[in-house]
């Protein structure tokens, strides 16, 4: 890695779910002049605590986290909002002569932050309502076929049952009169005034990560995930398509509360969905150029020591 002395450093701590990012971040915060910035599309929601593995109040006192508990479960957030919020927070952190430590598994947010965003039109409520009415009549698989006619490249990446992404892709096609895939290929706004020190926690044994995932989801259920989701649904007007309830664990718990699956199915589906999330996260991490990120085996016994030794050398090299 090459570090520029003209730009302030920012640490990216990335990895799949259950790779131990949160604990490593806390260890770093105790030994380096950093402030933690959450890069998690689920932790932005207030009240989503257990299922998002959000740090508890005692941990937040010990190491404050930025960009968690920003909105209510019935509100929306986006990669564009994250980029703006993160850059503002990072500027304040560096003004205090500290280093932003960005920690999380929402790879879209990391990409938006460092590479910028393509210019897509804002949501159009009237058009969305029209598309929803069409979907109610035809079904989302049929809407997916319409998308395939307009934007074959985007349709190939979206499942026929993924209503949210199908709706957005069709909305962009109709508003711009061109495929969303073409718009996404246009140059993005990419002003990122920081020198990245990127760390990826990658498991050497996928099976061990799967065991961690199962144990973690079981712990969430034991700590009250079902009651948490029940309480959230009592407080806010939500449905299965609400972004907050599409989060891994919450969607499956909603199905359980609606008597569509039993407790054993809730467990199995929650674990399976979390495994799929981890698979997508690892695929994204593997796509990063080798010279742009330092990988560590998240299963090794001396992970904390390895990461901190690397950071000491990287930060010292940056300051030279």
């Amino acid at each position: 890695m090459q570090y520029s002395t003209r730009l302030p450093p920012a640490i990216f701590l990335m990895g799949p779910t259950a790779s131990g990012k949160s604990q490593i971040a806390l260890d770093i915060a105790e030994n380096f002049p950093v402030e933690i910035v959450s890069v998690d599309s689920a932790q932005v929601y207030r009240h989503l605590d257990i299922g998002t593995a959000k740090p508890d109040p005692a941990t937040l006192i010990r190491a404050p986290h930025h960009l968690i508990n920003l909105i209510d479960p019935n509100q929306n957030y986006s990669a564009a909002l994250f980029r703006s919020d993160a850059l503002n927070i990072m500027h304040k952190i560096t003004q205090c002569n500290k280093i932003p430590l960005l920690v999380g598994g929402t790879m879209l947010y990391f990409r938006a932050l460092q590479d910028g965003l393509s210019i897509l039109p804002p949501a159009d409520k009237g058009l969305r309502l029209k598309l929803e009415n069409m979907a109610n009549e035809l079904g989302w698989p049929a809407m997916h076929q319409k998308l395939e006619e307009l934007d074959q490249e985007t349709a190939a990446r979206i499942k026929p049952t993924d209503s949210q992404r199908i709706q957005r892709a069709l909305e962009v096609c109709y508003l711009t009169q061109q495929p969303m895939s073409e718009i996404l290929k246009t140059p993005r706004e990419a002003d990122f005034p920081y020198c990245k020190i990127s760390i990826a926690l990658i498991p050497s044994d996928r099976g061990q990560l799967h065991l961690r995932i199962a144990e973690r989801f079981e712990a969430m259920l034991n700590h009250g995930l079902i009651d948490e989701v029940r309480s959230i649904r009592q407080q806010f007007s939500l449905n299965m398509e609400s972004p907050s309830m599409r989060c891994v664990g919450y969607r499956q718990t909603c199905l359980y509360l609606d008597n569509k699956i039993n407790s054993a199915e809730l467990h199995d589906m929650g674990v399976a969905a979390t495994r799929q999330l981890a698979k997508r996260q690892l695929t994204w991490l593997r796509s990063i150029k080798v010279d742009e990120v330092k990988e560590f085996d998240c299963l090794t016994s001396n992970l904390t020591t390895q990461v901190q030794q690397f950071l000491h050398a990287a930060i010292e090299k940056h300051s030279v």
Side-chain angles (χ1 to χ4, degrees):
M1 293 183 182
Q2 297 297 320
Y3 301 113
S4 169
T5 57
R6 295 190 301 272
L7 297 174
I11 302 168
F12 281 19
L13 178 56
M14 305 172 286
T17 186
S19 60
K21 298 182 298 296
S22 297
Q23 184 58 55
I24 293 297
L26 291 175
D27 294 337
I28 292 172
E30 289 183 345
N31 293 278
F32 294 86
V34 303
E35 289 191 24
I36 297 173
V37 181
S38 171
V39 187
D40 190 307
S41 61
Q43 291 188 359
V44 300
Y45 294 106
R46 289 185 282 268
H47 309 290
L48 273 68
D49 300 327
I50 297 172
T52 65
K54 193 179 293 177
D56 59 30
T59 300
L60 293 176
I61 292 173
R62 171 182 161 199
H65 287 50
H66 299 282
L67 302 190
I68 65 172
N69 297 325
L70 300 180
I71 59 175
D72 284 334
N74 59 347
Q75 297 175 303
N76 295 322
Y77 200 67
S78 67
L81 284 172
F82 170 80
R83 187 174 199 273
S84 175
D85 290 344
L87 288 173
N88 286 335
I89 289 295
M90 293 170 73
H91 176 71
K92 292 178 181 178
I93 293 172
T94 55
Q95 289 295 103
C96 296
N97 294 317
K98 290 188 175 182
I99 301 171
L101 170 59
L102 293 104
V103 184
T106 302
M107 303 309 170
L108 174 62
Y109 283 9
F110 276 115
R111 184 172 65 185
L113 179 60
Q114 63 189 14
D115 297 335
L117 293 158
S118 299
I119 301 175
L120 294 175
D124 184 298
K125 291 185 179 179
L127 178 55
R128 288 200 166 186
L129 180 59
K130 181 179 178 180
L131 291 171
E132 287 174 5
N133 290 335
M134 290 174 62
N136 289 334
E137 181 180 347
L138 302 174
W140 284 109
M143 299 296 283
H144 185 269
Q145 290 179 355
K146 287 182 178 293
L147 175 61
E148 195 170 17
E149 295 171 4
L150 296 171
D151 187 352
Q152 189 173 14
E153 185 176 337
T154 298
R157 300 198 310 267
I158 300 176
K159 293 181 179 180
T161 54
D162 194 337
S163 58
Q164 187 178 36
R165 289 184 173 87
I166 294 170
Q167 182 187 56
R168 177 55 175 161
L170 283 171
E171 178 184 43
V172 171
C173 288
Y174 289 137
L175 288 174
T176 64
Q177 299 299 306
Q178 59 180 316
M180 186 169 75
S181 57
E182 291 301 315
I183 299 175
L184 292 174
K185 293 175 184 176
T186 58
R188 310 184 207 185
E189 173 194 355
D191 178 23
F192 184 69
Y194 294 88
C195 172
K196 292 179 296 179
I197 301 174
S198 297
I199 296 170
L201 305 183
I202 307 290
S204 56
D205 183 342
R206 193 75 64 92
Q208 289 299 312
L209 181 69
H210 289 171
L211 287 175
R212 283 191 181 185
I213 286 171
E215 291 171 356
R216 183 164 121 151
F217 191 70
E218 289 163 9
M220 289 175 177
L221 291 173
N222 292 334
H223 287 129
L225 176 60
I226 294 172
D227 288 339
E228 177 176 274
V229 178
R230 182 184 289 115
S231 175
I232 292 169
R233 299 207 312 177
Q234 289 172 349
Q235 293 180 64
F236 300 94
S237 177
L238 301 168
N239 57 50
M240 291 290 292
E241 301 307 318
S242 299
S244 61
M245 293 298 102
R246 289 173 63 88
C247 295
V248 169
Y250 289 87
R251 184 175 185 82
Q252 292 74 31
T253 305
C254 284
L255 289 172
Y256 171 79
L257 290 172
D258 291 337
N259 297 313
K260 294 181 179 178
I261 59 175
N262 59 36
S263 58
E265 290 171 320
L266 166 59
H267 172 274
D268 293 346
M269 290 175 66
V271 171
T274 310
R275 283 187 180 184
Q276 286 298 313
L277 171 61
K279 181 180 179 180
R280 292 194 299 272
Q281 292 167 323
L282 285 167
T283 298
W284 190 89
L285 287 168
R286 292 298 191 192
S287 71
I288 303 176
K289 294 179 182 178
V290 174
D291 62 346
E292 292 182 359
V293 62
K294 177 65 174 178
E295 292 188 5
F296 293 93
D297 179 6
C298 66
L299 303 176
T300 188
S301 59
N302 64 339
L303 176 61
T304 298
T305 300
Q306 289 186 30
V307 170
Q308 293 195 14
Q309 287 177 346
F310 166 75
L311 280 179
H312 274 298
I315 293 172
E316 183 177 351
K317 183 176 180 180
H318 180 277
S319 63
V320 173

